[in-house]
Amino acid sequence: MIPLKLTLEGVYSYRTRQIIDFQTLSEAGLFGVFGSVGSGKSAILESMTYALYGQIERLNEKEQRGYNIMNLQSSSLYIDFEFNHNNEVYRFTVTAKRHKKDFNKVQSPERSGYIKKDSQWVPLPDEGIRGGISAEAVMGLSYEHFRKTVIIPQGKFQEFIMLPPSGRTGMIETLFGLERFNLSSKTSVLLARCREECSFLEGKLDDLQGLSPENLETMDQELDLLNEVIIQKTSDRKKQADQLKELEEILSLKQELSEIEKDLLEMESRRDEIRRKEEELVQFRRLDRLFSQDLTRQKELTRQNQEILQKKEDLTSEISSAEQSLKKQEAYWQRLLKDQEQYGDLIKTRDSLESAVKYKEMQELKERSVLVLKELEQSMKGLESEHNEMILHLENLDQEIVSIEEKVETGEQIKPLQDWYSRSSFLKERLLNQNENIKETQEQKRSSLSRLKELIPDVRIQPEDTASILKEKLMEVLQKEADELEKKRNSLEERKGRQYHLKLLAEMAESLQEGKPCPLCGATHHPEVISTAQEASIDEAEEVLRVSQNEVQTKKEGILEVLNRLEHLESEEEKQQALLKNMKAEKMTLNNEFIWKDYDRDNKDQLLQLEKDLAASKNRLKDLRKKRRALEQKTRESGSKLHNRENEKTKIHAELKSITLQMRTLESKIIPEHRQELPSGQLEDLNTRLEDLNRDYQSLKSSRRAKEEELQILRNEKYSLEISLQNNRKEKSLLEQSIAEKMQSEESPSLERIEKILSQPPDDEKERKIIETYYNAVQLLGEKKKKITVALQGKNEIQADPLELKNSLNELEFSILQDQRRVGALKTQREDLKIKLDQKRTLALSLEKQKIRLDNLKEMASLFKGRKFVEFIAAVYLNELCQLANIRFSSMSNRSLELVFQDNQILVRDFLNEGRLRHIKTLSGGQTFQAALCLALALAEQTGRGKGSFFFLDEGFGSLDSASLETVMASLRQLSREGRIIGLISHVEDLQQDLDVWLRVSRDDELGSRIQSSWKRKEEA
């Protein structure tokens, strides 16, 4: 993952929007993020993790994360993080808003993810994760994994080096998630499941115990016998069915022949009716062919002539009406034509009057504009004076601000002293807490000793006794108790043996009868028969012994638990005392670092007074800046007003010039008689007269043209009707002559009879079908009768009762069906038996495999018992981690040192002293830092983040001297040359001088945290 850009707004101390260009930082290979404590450096990393995973280190979901992460002076939060992963560009955003009415309520943040495709941001699929999408699916890293490989917790590795073996093993298990190798519980679960599976398979096999292959052979024999019987019965059924079918065919043919003869008689009775229909259809077709078309056309011509005569009469009336209307308008039309000749002179007079009116309006507008211009010039003089005074006041404020800023900058030089007092206070608090921890551990030890006294009150326990001494004493007492119980158990076993023999004799005694011989001694008299009354007393003794053994075992477990706890507390106290000693030494070193002669190391009042004066100067500076911003705003507003007035003045001058030009144009259009005085109302009267004249002329002209055109159309239409009427009369006369000639030549009936016949046309298609159907049916019936007669002649006469044949056939079919059902049932039983036999074989094989697996799981359970396997894996990881770290650590130490993991400890091999091993705590501060750094980088490589990777070192470098710091920086530069991109986060100023590319985070009381880059500062310079 390579970051490209990060945008912050409203996050922690970042009030205004800040943008970080990681591309420039990454190109440098090694860069830094610097700033004072609390400036907002770590907020950059937490913003990245919050955008990617919705989680941050300092706050969880229950701690009102949305409210606490948002800047208290902001109403919204915005994070936009772009990065490159596997040659793909991704973008993750977070947005949130504060409730408008409730300040303490922040809406749930909305988190989104995108991937860049063809220069477009395409949303990533939401995986249903609470709080929005997560980058885990993109990068293959969980939040915890990301915190270990991208943001490397160096301080945690220095703590890791100093931990005892047990603590180091636990820490490596946490870092690498080695708990997954704790297979004890998983093996136990698998073992229990395997046992259940074996029991289940054995139960299944018990259910199938009575089944064998011989049962299958018996069923096969029975099936063969039944199949032979069914074949014989099926053959008999076929013979009877064929005989019944032939008899039914003969009876059916005779029945069909009888029905055909009946239908033929019915058809013969309809023959005269069919012939009459044929004659009527022939006559209608002949008359229709000769007269139908002529008679239809004759009727159509008669109807058309009547319509033409009616239309002609209507047109004559309309023509007369139109001619009368035109005569009425003629006089008014002539008068309008005469008035139209004077229209041009009237237009010229109206234009002159209109120009004179506009000229007078322009003259009044010019006078008003001149007055406004004079007032505007007067107000501008006052605004200029006020604006100049504001500029002078602004310059005075700037001088005062510069003076106070110099005082504040001088006061900032006490920062190292503040840091010393802060470290001293922090160390003092740690000493108090460490003393409290030691007291608490000692109290827990006393409580554990009291618990031991309760468990074994007979043993005398001294306060100075250690856990190992107490273990020897208590184990000796417990062993004695266990030996006593073992003796009792052996005694009880002897009693149980004797009781067993007596029980056998008692069973024989129960069969003894007076007068009959004993099977052992042969006596016939039995005065005292053995009884089993002692058996109950032995069972009670066994129960008492079992309870005693359980009590001893419980007591032993409780004592061992307390002893283990005591051992842990002693080890913890030893570490706490060592840590306390280190803290006291650190306190002494810190006191020696106090170099300020003008201040008392134990008296902080002088510093507090300086801080108070510095705070007052900052507040004064803040007020002056606020006052300056307000005055600057007023100055800008005053300048804006002055500029607006100047624009307005220029606009008025332009308007006066335009008015003057318009007045000259209008003056040229006015006639002499209108220059001195305008006649009142003449312009309105003239406009009214012109409008009326023009409207009447155009209206009447259009109306006359429309009526003349309409009159011509009516005349043309009347002429066309007269022509059509003449043509129709000629055609009708010719038709009447043609009809008369056809009637004479064809010897047809009268015209009235012809019209009557043609007026009632038969349904030709229907009648034709009736006739065709009749003749077809007669023909078909004759053919069927002939065919059936031939078929009956070829049949042999069968002397049998059809009903008896059917009953016999049904009985035979029922018998076959019963046999088939029996065969089906036997087949089903056979298949079930075959399946169960297969199941039996499969279950037997599965049981054998499960028993083998059970033996293997028992072996695995014994191997994985406890945490030894996890500890072994942790040791392998630690060994590989040291070997990988030595690749760099050996180079950093000039081949003089290397890390060695041996006997569950991290040691150092010193090649300057014959390669002997010594404890890692003997390294100097700079060497310890180098070792921790190499271990951290080895961790990054173990998780697949090598060359070309990017990671932050969020580490305090303040504990290193200048030489160690230079060594560490040389190591980091070497890593950068190897292709790794490294970001440092620190408040150590000297580091900034060693880097070409860096970010500087500063915090302003009003604007919040601000980010400044080295390259932009160079550009400004």
Side-chain angles (χ1 to χ4, degrees), residues 69-102:
I69 196 175
M70 185 181 291
N71 185 279
L72 293 175
Q73 294 179 318
S74 300
S75 60
S76 64
L77 175 147
Y78 178 72
I79 303 173
D80 190 335
F81 181 43
E82 297 180 19
F83 62 93
N84 186 303
H85 181 69
N86 290 340
N87 297 323
E88 295 282 359
V89 179
Y90 296 89
R91 177 187 176 199
F92 281 74
T93 63
V94 183
T95 57
K97 292 184 179 180
R98 195 183 300 278
H99 199 278
K100 293 182 179 178
K101 297 182 179 179
D102 188 353

Side-chain angles (χ1 to χ4, degrees), residues 918-933:
R918 57 189 173 97
H919 202 280
I920 196 169
K921 292 182 180 180
T922 60
L923 293 175
S924 65
Q927 289 172 332
T928 302
F929 185 88
Q930 287 178 338
L933 175 63

Side-chain angles (χ1 to χ4, degrees), residues 713-831:
I713 290 170
L714 291 173
R715 288 171 178 168
N716 292 338
E717 188 175 354
K718 181 179 178 183
Y719 177 76
S720 298
L721 289 174
E722 290 175 349
I723 297 298
S724 298
L725 184 61
Q726 292 177 6
N727 293 334
N728 287 348
R729 286 173 177 171
K730 288 180 181 179
E731 184 179 358
K732 185 178 180 183
S733 176
L734 292 173
L735 282 173
E736 290 174 351
Q737 183 178 355
S738 174
I739 290 169
E741 291 174 355
K742 289 177 181 178
M743 289 177 63
Q744 290 178 358
S745 63
E746 296 293 335
E747 298 180 357
S748 300
S750 65
L751 185 60
E752 292 78 7
R753 177 61 180 165
I754 292 171
E755 289 177 349
K756 184 176 180 180
I757 291 171
L758 293 176
S759 65
Q760 298 175 352
D763 189 345
D764 187 87
E765 185 69 19
K766 181 180 178 181
E767 295 296 332
R768 184 177 58 78
K769 283 185 178 181
I770 290 172
I771 295 168
E772 288 180 359
T773 302
Y774 173 80
Y775 285 114
N776 290 337
V778 171
Q779 182 180 358
L780 183 62
L781 288 172
E783 292 174 354
K784 281 185 177 182
K785 180 179 179 182
K786 183 177 179 181
K787 186 176 179 181
I788 291 170
T789 303
V790 172
L792 285 173
Q793 290 174 356
K795 296 285 184 182
N796 296 322
E797 193 71 25
I798 298 174
Q799 300 296 328
D801 187 359
L803 185 59
E804 290 180 359
L805 279 175
K806 283 183 180 181
N807 291 336
S808 175
L809 187 62
N810 288 337
E811 290 175 359
L812 192 57
E813 286 180 348
F814 181 74
S815 176
I816 292 171
L817 182 61
Q818 291 285 24
D819 292 340
Q820 287 175 342
R821 286 177 179 173
R822 175 61 181 158
V823 168
L826 281 173
K827 285 183 177 179
T828 302
Q829 292 175 10
R830 184 184 182 281
E831 289 300 321

Side-chain angles (χ1 to χ4, degrees), residues 268-283:
E268 187 64 28
S269 64
R270 292 180 55 204
R271 186 177 294 276
D272 294 339
E273 179 186 354
I274 294 301
R275 287 177 179 173
R276 179 178 55 78
K277 283 181 180 292
E278 286 179 326
E279 292 174 357
E280 290 177 354
L281 192 60
V282 170
Q283 183 183 23

Side-chain angles (χ1 to χ4, degrees), residues 354-372:
E354 287 179 348
S355 298
V357 171
K358 286 182 180 180
Y359 183 85
K360 186 175 181 180
E361 292 174 353
M362 286 289 183
Q363 194 172 23
E364 293 174 354
L365 179 60
K366 182 178 180 181
E367 293 172 357
R368 288 196 300 271
S369 298
V370 170
L371 290 175
V372 171

Side-chain angles (χ1 to χ4, degrees), residues 238-324:
K238 185 176 182 306
K239 292 178 181 178
Q240 293 184 12
D242 292 343
Q243 187 177 10
L244 179 61
K245 181 179 179 183
E246 188 173 0
L247 180 61
E248 287 177 346
E249 286 179 356
I250 292 172
L251 293 175
S252 175
L253 288 171
K254 289 182 177 180
Q255 178 67 27
E256 188 176 358
L257 182 63
S258 174
E259 291 176 357
I260 287 172
E261 290 174 347
K262 183 178 179 182
D263 291 340
L264 284 171
L265 290 174
E266 184 180 352
M267 287 294 180
E268 187 64 28
S269 64
R270 292 180 55 204
R271 186 177 294 276
D272 294 339
E273 179 186 354
I274 294 301
R275 287 177 179 173
R276 179 178 55 78
K277 283 181 180 292
E278 286 179 326
E279 292 174 357
E280 290 177 354
L281 192 60
V282 170
Q283 183 183 23
F284 177 80
R285 288 175 179 171
R286 183 177 65 83
L287 294 176
D288 182 65
R289 176 175 52 79
L290 292 173
F291 301 103
S292 179
Q293 187 175 358
D294 292 342
L295 290 173
T296 301
R297 180 59 182 163
Q298 186 181 26
K299 290 179 182 180
E300 178 65 21
L301 289 172
T302 302
R303 184 187 62 75
Q304 288 181 1
N305 290 340
Q306 291 175 355
E307 290 178 356
I308 289 171
L309 289 173
Q310 182 63 39
K311 285 183 179 180
K312 184 179 177 183
E313 185 178 349
D314 294 340
L315 285 173
T316 301
S317 176
E318 289 179 8
I319 289 169
S320 177
S321 176
E323 290 174 346
Q324 291 295 326

Side-chain angles (χ1 to χ4, degrees), residues 120-136:
Q120 298 291 328
W121 290 114
V122 180
L124 293 172
D126 190 343
E127 300 168 349
I129 299 173
R130 183 178 179 184
I133 195 166
S134 172
E136 183 171 352

Side-chain angles (χ1 to χ4, degrees), residues 310-366:
Q310 182 63 39
K311 285 183 179 180
K312 184 179 177 183
E313 185 178 349
D314 294 340
L315 285 173
T316 301
S317 176
E318 289 179 8
I319 289 169
S320 177
S321 176
E323 290 174 346
Q324 291 295 326
S325 177
L326 284 173
K327 286 180 181 180
K328 289 179 182 180
Q329 293 177 351
E330 186 64 29
Y332 183 55
W333 173 246
Q334 293 300 325
R335 188 168 65 254
L336 285 175
L337 289 175
K338 185 177 180 180
D339 291 342
Q340 192 68 17
E341 295 174 357
Q342 302 175 355
Y343 190 76
D345 297 336
L346 293 174
I347 289 293
K348 291 179 180 179
T349 304
R350 184 195 64 183
D351 291 344
S352 175
L353 287 170
E354 287 179 348
S355 298
V357 171
K358 286 182 180 180
Y359 183 85
K360 186 175 181 180
E361 292 174 353
M362 286 289 183
Q363 194 172 23
E364 293 174 354
L365 179 60
K366 182 178 180 181

